Amino acid sequence: MKRQILHTNILILLIFFLPQVSPSQIYEELFVGFNHSSVDSILKILPGLENRDLADAYNKLSRLHLQYHPDSAMFFANKAFDVAQNAAYTEGMGTAHLNIGKVKYFEGNYIEAYKIFLEAKTYLEKTENKIDLADCYIRLAGSLFWSQAMQETAIDLANRGLALYRETGNLRYVAYLYMLFGRYYIDIGDLVSALKGLQLTKEIMVDQNMGNRFDKYISFVLIAEVLWYKEEQKKALDFIRQGYSFLDTSIVEDCGILSNNYSITAFYFRNMNNPDSAIHYYNRGIILGEKAGCLSGLEANHKGLADLYKDQGKIEKTLLHYRNALLFSLIIDSTGFYYINPEHRFYRGISLEIGEPFPVKLRRYYGWHTMRKIHHELYNIYNERGNCQKALIHFVSFSSMNDSIQTYLKNKELKELGFKYDTEQKDQRIFFLEQENKLKETTAKQTRIIFVGIGLVMFLAIIVLILMLMQGKLRNIHNTLNLEQKLFRSQMNPHFIFNSLASIQNKIINEEPDMATDYLARFSLLFRNILENSIDEMITLQKEIETINTYLELQQLRYIDKFDFKIYVDENLDPENIFIPPMLAQPFIENAIEHGIKHIGSKGNIHVRFMLNEQTLVYEVEDDGIGREKAQEILLKQNKDHKSLATSITQERIKVLNKKLKHKIKLEIIDLKNEEGEATGTRVVFELPM
């Protein structure tokens, strides 16, 4: 997750920390609001323009509408492209595509934006318009940074844009890129490089007075963040206060940004063990948030106060502010905007929204993270108070937010795979086009060797094609295996979670609050382990042991005095440094309880063993239940259509894992019997390579 947030921060900075239009005059107009007079003046002269002048006018109108009226921006950009195409005006077509790509990006369609920026780059590289070309390089980099596989390409494009800005003497644009790389170095922990880049930004924006009030403000705030991580708290606070001095509380947008950043200042004081100052800044943030109608500021400050009061043990105040924060989060999620007043929807709600507002999807994604944290805290509070009903409500909401986040990330992953495939296909087409052009040149210059040349080129092309197809096939197989394995894990997790939830509900209905609270606490620990373990393909043996132990304790609460269990770990094993697939034996442990021990008249036993056999981990689950045959007979009587999936799912999962392992995982199921041939239980044995 941390790496995902890093990628998102870089993408935001690439897109939002850079100038949105050129020349600089129009850029200034975007920062002070939609300029009706500039639009009207251009519209008046449109009837007298044609060809290149008309295309430039339409592109200028598109840029003026980008931040505030994306539909109009798209309309004027398309008009500019049509006019430029008819006039064979390459620069006009490139700038039009650049504007169209910006609109697509704002809509959250990163892949389509990337394709359009590529077309803009093709046009602009043939012109002398280095400003728009530099902007295009940065836009391409921003469209690629969300894809982990394309980050090297993105960094290369960003550096090319930086070089062009330096060449043209646009120091302000250079400062934005220094800011970008400063933010990047903060995220990867290189504070020395981060501070160096941000000091260069401050020198240009503030010392040379080339930035507007937002530029100067951000220069100080980011330096404060670096100083905070360097544990120079007093210097950090001094810089962040200097940054605040550049904003004006008589302006709605400034109030919104200050409201958000007062929550950051309060957080600093809270971590310096100065709660009174923290409360002071949180309350100032709420006052400014209410003044501006800034939902994001109100959300951040109410949540900060709730966290602070929770640490102080003031639960009623904690609940009040968590509920307020949750209310503002829900409004952001439902509207997609950071301000209550629809007329202010394009105002900056947080510091990162420098050049243009976030896509709605990204705002909602950040909101889900906040709501997930709040629901989790409320669940803990009500659970500790013994209010099972409210605890369960917030736990379900927490799970829903977590599902939304995971769905968002999975969709991003699928888009990345499709984007990567599409890029490879385009590279192949470019490769063949280049070969075809070379072949035509060779034909014109060297007629005598035309057949030899064609044969050689075709032979090389076929070899390259075969190699690329083989590489693509192997990559697709690998991706498919990963997706299949995730699917198997996701199918197993809900299988036993549902039964536990049903038991909690039953305890609540039967008015057994103490048991319900204990059960819910253990279940939350189990569910947390499942969420953490499902992220990774392999987990430590220690985590597996903890999850199994919690699960068996939970089942003991369901089946009181029905069975005992023991977990044995070979003293020669190091559980913290041994990695195994998560929850491999869990379906069999569940079968041992539900279908084996459940039907015996006496108290049963379950033994889980982890033993070392040379370089192999032997993982056993043994029970003294009624055995598989008798259990199957009972199941068939109860439900003729019942099919046990534990064995088939686990075997399929092992099959997928073994395709990627040198030494294979083995599974054996042994029916235990006494001397008379009667069933005495079942033993499941896994052999896992170490």
Side-chain angles (χ1 to χ4, degrees):
M1 179 61 70
K2 183 178 179 182
R3 188 169 181 83
Q4 181 63 45
I5 293 172
L6 167 62
H7 297 162
T8 304
N9 282 344
I10 296 168
L11 179 150
I12 293 166
L13 285 155
L14 276 165
I15 295 301
F16 300 125
F17 276 170
L18 294 174
Q20 303 307 308
V21 296
S22 58
S24 58
Q25 178 183 359
I26 298 175
Y27 177 65
E28 290 296 335
E29 290 170 350
L30 280 179
F31 271 103
V32 299
F34 184 69
N35 195 313
H36 290 279
S37 61
S38 294
V39 172
D40 291 341
S41 64
I42 297 173
L43 290 174
K44 288 179 181 179
I45 64 172
L46 274 182
L49 301 177
E50 58 183 17
N51 299 329
R52 295 191 175 197
D53 292 336
L54 183 57
D56 288 340
Y58 278 132
N59 273 324
K60 188 177 294 186
L61 285 168
S62 177
R63 285 193 296 259
L64 285 168
H65 285 83
L66 274 173
Q67 181 175 348
Y68 298 97
H69 304 288
D71 291 340
S72 298
M74 178 67 80
F75 171 79
F76 287 120
N78 283 321
K79 294 285 287 183
F81 181 79
D82 291 340
V83 173
Q85 188 175 43
N86 291 332
Y89 180 29
T90 304
E91 181 179 333
M93 289 187 285
T95 302
H97 270 90
L98 184 60
N99 292 333
I100 293 171
K102 291 175 183 178
V103 176
K104 291 292 183 182
Y105 179 86
F106 176 72
E107 294 172 350
N109 194 341
Y110 308 126
I111 295 176
E112 188 65 24
Y114 173 79
K115 294 177 181 178
I116 296 172
F117 288 143
L118 271 181
E119 294 180 17
K121 169 179 166 289
T122 302
Y123 288 120
L124 292 170
E125 284 180 336
K126 300 175 183 178
T127 72
E128 297 298 321
N129 188 343
K130 294 181 180 180
I131 297 297
D132 278 358
L133 179 57
D135 191 7
C136 187
Y137 284 145
I138 301 303
R139 296 289 174 166
L140 282 168
S143 300
L144 286 178
F145 250 114
W146 62 274
S147 169
Q148 183 178 346
M150 304 298 289
Q151 282 189 41
E152 290 186 7
T153 303
I155 292 172
D156 176 66
L157 286 165
N159 281 321
R160 289 165 72 178
L162 177 60
L164 278 178
Y165 284 138
R166 283 175 175 161
E167 182 182 338
T168 54
N170 286 276
L171 293 180
R172 188 179 183 190
Y173 297 4
V174 170
Y176 279 108
L177 285 168
Y178 282 144
M179 191 181 295
L180 157 68
F181 286 113
R183 177 74 257 180
Y184 170 74
Y185 285 124
I186 290 174
D187 288 329
I188 66 174
D190 186 351
L191 299 181
V192 174
S193 299
L195 189 58
K196 181 179 178 181
L198 293 172
Q199 285 173 337
L200 289 171
T201 298
K202 174 180 169 294
E203 180 182 337
I204 296 172
M205 295 297 197
V206 182
D207 299 341
Q208 298 182 32
N209 198 31
M210 298 193 69
N212 60 32
R213 67 183 191 277
F214 291 102
D215 302 334
K216 297 173 182 177
Y217 158 74
I218 286 295
S219 300
F220 277 92
V221 170
L222 287 177
I223 290 176
E225 183 176 356
V226 176
L227 293 172
W228 178 261
Y229 287 132
K230 288 170 66 67
E231 298 185 358
E232 298 180 28
Q233 287 88 348
K234 292 184 178 179
K235 284 187 178 180
L237 286 170
D238 182 55
F239 266 85
I240 203 169
R241 285 166 176 157
Q242 288 183 65
Y244 292 157
S245 68
F246 293 108
L247 299 182
D248 185 351
T249 55
S250 67
I251 300 174
V252 171
E253 195 167 19
D254 288 17
C255 288
I257 292 179
L258 277 173
S259 173
N260 272 276
N261 284 277
Y262 278 153
S263 70
I264 297 173
T265 306
F267 176 80
Y268 286 174
F269 277 114
R270 180 182 161 201
N271 279 271
M272 293 171 64
N273 199 25
N274 188 343
D276 292 338
S277 295
I279 292 172
H280 169 73
Y281 275 99
Y282 280 133
N283 285 324
R284 287 181 67 184
I286 290 173
I287 292 171
L288 285 178
E290 291 174 346
K291 178 180 178 181
C294 180
L295 298 165
S296 54
L298 291 167
E299 171 198 65
N301 285 285
H302 277 293
K303 183 182 180 299
L305 275 174
D307 291 337
L308 188 151
Y309 286 132
K310 178 175 68 69
D311 294 341
Q312 294 180 341
K314 299 177 180 179
I315 302 303
E316 294 306 322
K317 288 186 176 182
T318 300
L319 292 173
L320 173 65
H321 288 289
Y322 272 142
R323 290 179 189 130
N324 286 338
L326 191 59
L327 172 63
F328 296 123
S329 295
L330 289 169
I331 297 174
I332 293 172
D333 185 43
S334 62
T335 64
F337 300 122
Y338 282 145
Y339 285 86
I340 296 174
N341 190 338
E343 295 181 0
H344 301 160
R345 63 177 183 168
F346 290 109
Y347 285 0
R348 301 163 189 79
I350 59 177
S351 297
L352 289 178
E353 287 193 314
I354 295 301
E356 58 192 22
F358 285 174
V360 172
K361 292 180 182 178
L362 195 57
R363 288 179 180 164
R364 297 189 67 199
Y365 173 72
Y366 283 151
W368 294 334
H369 278 281
T370 301
M371 287 190 283
R372 181 176 67 171
K373 292 176 183 176
I374 294 173
H375 282 302
H376 187 264
E377 294 297 340
L378 289 172
Y379 156 73
N380 286 332
I381 291 172
Y382 286 119
N383 187 36
E384 291 173 1
R385 286 186 157 192
N387 192 332
C388 299
Q389 185 176 4
K390 287 188 176 181
L392 184 59
I393 290 171
H394 287 290
F395 183 81
V396 171
S397 297
F398 162 79
S399 300
S400 175
M401 290 298 99
N402 194 68
D403 289 342
S404 297
I405 292 169
Q406 294 303 318
T407 300
Y408 178 90
L409 294 176
K410 286 178 181 178
N411 288 337
K412 265 185 74 181
E413 183 180 355
L414 290 174
K415 286 181 180 180
E416 180 176 348
L417 291 173
F419 171 73
K420 191 174 181 182
Y421 173 80
D422 187 67
T423 302
E424 289 172 353
Q425 292 295 310
K426 189 165 187 176
D427 289 342
Q428 288 184 24
R429 289 194 295 270
I430 292 173
F431 172 80
F432 286 117
L433 286 172
E434 290 175 350
Q435 293 300 314
E436 184 179 353
N437 290 333
K438 289 179 180 179
L439 182 60
K440 289 179 179 179
E441 292 175 4
T442 303
T443 301
K445 295 179 180 179
Q446 301 177 342
T447 307
R448 295 181 182 179
I449 57 172
I450 186 170
F451 292 106
V452 177
I454 291 175
L456 180 61
V457 171
M458 292 302 295
F459 177 75
L460 291 174
I462 291 171
I463 294 296
V464 171
L465 177 60
I466 292 172
L467 291 174
M468 293 181 74
L469 290 174
M470 290 176 63
Q471 183 182 10
K473 185 176 181 181
L474 290 174
R475 187 180 295 107
N476 289 336
I477 291 173
H478 177 73
N479 291 338
T480 301
L481 292 177
N482 279 335
L483 291 174
E484 287 178 355
Q485 187 173 350
K486 291 179 182 177
L487 175 62
F488 293 141
R489 289 208 302 267
S490 67
Q491 287 175 333
M492 286 190 290
N493 294 347
H495 186 63
F496 66 89
I497 293 174
F498 175 79
N499 290 333
S500 298
L501 284 173
S503 294
I504 295 172
Q505 185 182 32
N506 187 50
K507 301 297 181 186
I508 295 173
I509 293 173
N510 293 331
E511 297 183 353
E512 298 178 66
D514 293 339
M515 293 185 67
T517 301
D518 187 24
Y519 205 114
L520 189 59
R522 293 174 184 270
F523 174 71
S524 67
L525 175 61
L526 176 64
F527 191 77
R528 186 181 298 112
N529 286 341
I530 293 170
L531 287 175
E532 292 175 353
N533 294 345
S534 64
I535 296 173
D536 302 316
E537 188 171 306
M538 305 289 279
I539 63 170
T540 64
L541 177 58
Q542 183 63 39
K543 284 189 177 181
E544 178 75 357
I545 293 170
E546 291 172 0
T547 302
I548 291 172
N549 186 73
T550 305
Y551 173 74
L552 286 167
E553 288 178 347
L554 196 62
Q555 289 289 41
Q556 278 187 326
L557 290 175
R558 289 183 62 210
Y559 300 105
I560 299 175
D561 294 327
K562 191 62 181 175
F563 70 92
D564 289 325
F565 72 90
K566 292 183 179 179
I567 298 177
Y568 169 77
V569 182
D570 193 328
E571 62 182 5
N572 294 317
L573 293 172
D574 182 5
E576 292 289 349
N577 293 303
I578 296 174
F579 291 82
I580 65 173
M583 297 189 300
L584 198 60
Q586 188 278 330
F588 296 100
I589 297 175
E590 183 173 11
N591 279 348
I593 298 170
E594 299 289 342
H595 307 307
I597 291 174
K598 182 178 178 180
H599 299 292
I600 62 175
S602 58
K603 193 173 185 179
N605 294 279
I606 295 175
H607 296 275
V608 181
R609 307 182 187 95
F610 298 91
M611 298 171 290
L612 180 64
N613 183 12
E614 295 182 353
Q615 295 300 313
T616 302
L617 174 65
V618 179
Y619 182 176
E620 292 185 356
V621 178
E622 182 177 328
D623 68 83
D624 58 359
I626 62 175
R628 289 194 295 170
E629 292 182 4
K630 194 168 183 180
Q632 188 64 28
E633 292 176 6
I634 294 173
L635 282 172
L636 289 174
K637 288 179 182 179
Q638 295 174 348
N639 183 2
K640 294 181 179 181
D641 298 325
H642 176 80
K643 293 182 180 179
S644 177
L645 299 178
T647 303
S648 61
I649 288 177
T650 304
Q651 288 175 338
E652 186 64 24
R653 188 176 173 207
I654 291 173
K655 182 179 178 182
V656 172
L657 287 167
N658 283 341
K659 290 180 181 180
K660 301 164 67 175
L661 298 173
K662 286 185 178 180
H663 302 287
K664 309 305 181 184
I665 299 174
K666 296 180 182 179
L667 168 64
E668 183 181 5
I669 303 175
I670 303 170
D671 296 313
L672 304 177
K673 297 184 179 180
N674 59 21
E675 294 179 356
E676 288 76 28
E678 299 173 338
T680 59
T682 306
R683 181 187 299 140
V684 179
V685 182
F686 293 91
E687 293 184 10
L688 294 90
M690 295 177 58

